[in-house]
C-alpha cells in the first residue's frame, strides 16, 4: 500500500499506552537472569548482570515502540537498521553472561520476538529457529548451562504472539491511512461541489448583470427612466446573487423551475433575445423540478453569454426540458467543455437523466436537452 502524503497519528492516548504495555509485558521473562545476577558473590559480576539486563530491557522497549510507530504510519522498517537493532539486542544479552551465566539464554525470547516484528518473514523465521535451537545446543556444549525445555516453548510462544501484534499494528496503520484518505477525498469532493454551485449561481447572475449594465449604459442618454429601471434590476439581481451565495454556503439553497423560467424571461429580454417560454409547467417531483431549473439556468446563461442568438425557445415536458436558440451553436459539439455543463451532468446523473448538447435539426444554433427516464406502471423506468 502506498504511504499517505502525511504521517498518520496514533488513534488516541489509550492506544499509545497499550503499545507500551505490549512491549513491557514480556519483560517478566527476565526475572530468571535478574535473580541469578542478584545472587552473584562478586560485585562486578552483579553490576554487569544487572546493568546489561536493564540496558537490554530499555533497548527492547524502545526498539519495539520505534518499529510500532513506523508501522502505524505505514512506513517500512529499513532492513539494514532492523538487522543492526537485532544484533544490538543479542550483544546486550551476551554481555550479561558474566553476571547471568547460562540464564542469558532467556534474552533470546526477546531477540526472536523483535526479529518477528522487525525483519522480513524469511529472515525472522531463521532467527526464531536459531533462537529456539540455541538452548539445547549450548546445554550440550557448555558445562554448567542447564537446558530448560520451557525456554524453547517461550521462544516459540513469544514469536507467535509477536506475529499477531505485528499484524495488528500493520492493520491499524492501514486503517488510519484509509480513514485519512477518506477524509481527504470528502474535503476534495466538497470543494468541487462548492465550486460547481458557485459557478452555476454566479455565472448566470453576473452574466445577466453585465448585460443589463450594458443596456442601461446605452439607454441612459436616450431613455433615463428605462435606464433607471434596468439599474434597479441590476441591484435586485446583485442582492439575489448574494443571497444565493449565502444560501449555498449555508447548504440550504434550492432551485425551482418556475423561478428559473421567470429569471430567464428577464435575462433574455435584457439581452434583446426574443423568448418563447411556456406559460405554465407540469407538476414535477421536487428533485426533477430542481434539475430542470438548473438546466434552464445553464442553457439561458449560454444563450446570453455566448450564442449571439436572436431567439430562444424553452420547452418543458414531464420527462424533459429543452433550451434551443438560433445563435452560433456549441463551440464543443460533444458538450464536454465548461464547468456549467459538467455540473449539470453530475446533477443529472443522480436521477439517471441524460444531458444532450447538439445543434438543432435545422443545423443552426444550440440545443440543450435534459431527459429523465419515465416511470413504468410497475414502478420501473424506461428512457
Amino acid at each position: 500500500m502506498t504511504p499517505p502524503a502525511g504521517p498518520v497519528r496514533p488513534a488516541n492516548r489509550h492506544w499509545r499506552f497499550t503499545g507500551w504495555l505490549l512491549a513491557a509485558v514480556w519483560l517478566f521473562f527476565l526475572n530468571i537472569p535478574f535473580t541469578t545476577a542478584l545472587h552473584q558473590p562478586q560485585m562486578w559480576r552483579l553490576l554487569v548482570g544487572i546493568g546489561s539486563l536493564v540496558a537490554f530491557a530499555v533497548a527492547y522497549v524502545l526498539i519495539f515502540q520505534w518499529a510500532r510507530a513506523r508501522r502505524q504510519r505505514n512506513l517500512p522498517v529499513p532492513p539494514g537498521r532492523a538487522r543492526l537493532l537485532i544484533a544490538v539486542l543479542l550483544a546486550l544479552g551476551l554481555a550479561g553472561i558474566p553476571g547471568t551465566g547460562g540464564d542469558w539464554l532467556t534474552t533470546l525470547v526477546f531477540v526472536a520476538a523483535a526479529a518477528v516484528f522487525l525483519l522480513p518473514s524469511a529472515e525472522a523465521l531463521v532467527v526464531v529457529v536459531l533462537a529456539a535451537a540455541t538452548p539445547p545446543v549450548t546445554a550440550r556444549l557448555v558445562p554448567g548451562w542447564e537446558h530448560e525445555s520451557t525456554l524453547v516453548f517461550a521462544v516459540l510462544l513469544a514469536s507467535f504472539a509477536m506475529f499477531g501484534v505485528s499484524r495488528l499494528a500493520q492493520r491499524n496503520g492501514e486503517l488510519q491511512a484509509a480513514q485519512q484518505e477518506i477524509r481527504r477525498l470528502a474535503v476534495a469532493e466538497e470543494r468541487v461541489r462548492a465550486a460547481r454551485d458557485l459557478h452555476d449561481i454566479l455565472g448566470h447572475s453576473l452574466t445577466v448583470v453585465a448585460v443589463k449594465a450594458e443596456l442601461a449604459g446605452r439607454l441612459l442618454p436616450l431613455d433615463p427612466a428605462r435606464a433607471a429601471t434596468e439599474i434597479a434590476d441590476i441591484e435586485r439581481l446583485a442582492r439575489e446573487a448574494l443571497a444565493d451565495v449565502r444560501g449555498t454556503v449555508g447548504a440550504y439553497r434550492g432551485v425551482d423551475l418556475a423561478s428559473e423560467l421567470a429569471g430567464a424571461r428577464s435575462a433574455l429580454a435584457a439581452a434583446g433575445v426574443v423568448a418563447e417560454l411556456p406559460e405554465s409547467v407540469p407538476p414535477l417531483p421536487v428533485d426533477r423540478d430542481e434539475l430542470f431549473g438548473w438546466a434552464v439556468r445553464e442553457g439561458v446563461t449560454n444563450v446570453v453569454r455566448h450564442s449571439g442568438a436572436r431567439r430562444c425557445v424553452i420547452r418543458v415536458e414531464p420527462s424533459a426540458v429543452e433550451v434551443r436558440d438560433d445563435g452560433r451553436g456549441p463551440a464543443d459539439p460533444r458538450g464536454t467543455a465548461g464547468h456549467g455543463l459538467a455540473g449539470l451532468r453530475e446533477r443529472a446523473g443522480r436521477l439517471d437523466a441524460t444531458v444532450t448538447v447538439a445543434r438543432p435539426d435545422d443545423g443552426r444554433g444550440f440545443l440543450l436537452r435534459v431527459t429523465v427516464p419515465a416511470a413504468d406502471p410497475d414502478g420501473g423506468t424506461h428512457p
Side-chain angles (χ1 to χ4, degrees), residues 49-358:
I50 298 297
S52 64
L53 289 174
V54 170
F56 182 92
V58 171
Y60 172 77
V61 171
L62 292 178
I63 290 171
F64 179 86
Q65 284 299 99
W66 169 78
R68 176 175 166 274
R70 293 189 67 86
R71 286 183 179 274
Q72 283 186 314
R73 290 168 172 81
N74 263 356
L75 298 175
V77 176
R81 186 175 300 180
R83 298 185 191 102
L84 176 62
L85 294 175
I86 297 298
V88 168
L89 286 178
L90 181 61
L92 289 173
L94 291 171
I97 290 179
T100 58
D103 289 333
W104 80 273
L105 293 170
T106 304
T107 61
L108 294 177
V109 175
F110 300 88
V111 172
V116 171
F117 200 67
L118 296 176
L119 297 175
S121 299
E123 295 183 33
L125 180 61
V126 172
V127 174
V128 170
V129 170
L130 291 176
T134 298
V137 170
T138 55
R140 291 178 176 273
L141 298 179
V142 182
W145 287 11
E146 298 180 0
H147 166 52
E148 296 185 13
S149 59
T150 57
L151 188 56
V152 177
F153 176 75
V155 169
L156 298 178
L157 177 63
S159 301
F160 181 77
M162 189 57 71
F163 177 80
V165 171
S166 66
R167 292 299 178 268
L168 175 63
Q170 181 178 352
R171 295 296 181 267
N172 184 66
E174 292 174 354
L175 176 61
Q176 291 187 54
Q179 291 173 341
Q180 186 182 56
E181 181 67 9
I182 290 172
R183 288 192 293 269
R184 187 189 68 78
L185 291 176
V187 170
E189 182 178 358
E190 183 62 19
R191 287 174 177 169
V192 170
R193 185 197 67 81
R196 179 196 65 204
D197 287 351
L198 288 175
H199 170 273
D200 292 346
I201 294 165
L202 295 182
H204 175 80
S205 300
L206 294 180
T207 297
V208 177
V209 166
V211 171
K212 284 184 171 289
E214 182 181 356
L215 177 61
R218 292 199 306 265
L219 291 173
L220 192 59
L222 304 175
D223 189 349
R226 174 76 184 281
T229 301
E230 296 297 334
I231 292 173
D233 279 347
I234 291 173
E235 181 183 2
R236 176 183 59 81
L237 287 169
R239 293 184 183 276
E240 289 178 356
L242 179 59
D244 286 344
V245 171
R246 288 173 175 169
T248 300
V249 173
Y252 59 79
R253 181 183 180 279
V255 169
D256 63 90
L257 179 58
S259 298
E260 293 304 322
L261 287 172
R265 189 183 302 276
S266 174
L268 292 170
V273 179
V274 177
E276 185 179 330
L277 279 66
E279 295 298 330
S280 61
V281 296
L284 299 170
V286 175
D287 52 0
R288 188 178 303 180
D289 185 83
E290 181 179 1
L291 174 62
F292 285 3
W294 282 114
V296 168
R297 172 176 284 234
E298 177 62 23
V300 171
T301 299
N302 288 334
V303 171
V304 173
R305 182 185 293 174
H306 306 299
S307 71
R310 296 182 179 181
R311 185 168 178 267
C312 176
V313 179
I314 299 178
R315 297 279 185 262
V316 178
E317 302 170 3
S319 61
V321 62
E322 181 180 289
V323 180
R324 179 195 304 257
D325 67 63
D326 60 355
R328 287 186 290 268
D332 178 11
R334 296 175 298 173
T336 56
H339 294 287
L341 289 174
L344 183 60
R345 282 195 168 89
E346 288 181 17
R347 293 186 174 92
R350 300 189 189 112
L351 300 182
D352 294 328
T354 58
V355 177
T356 303
V357 176

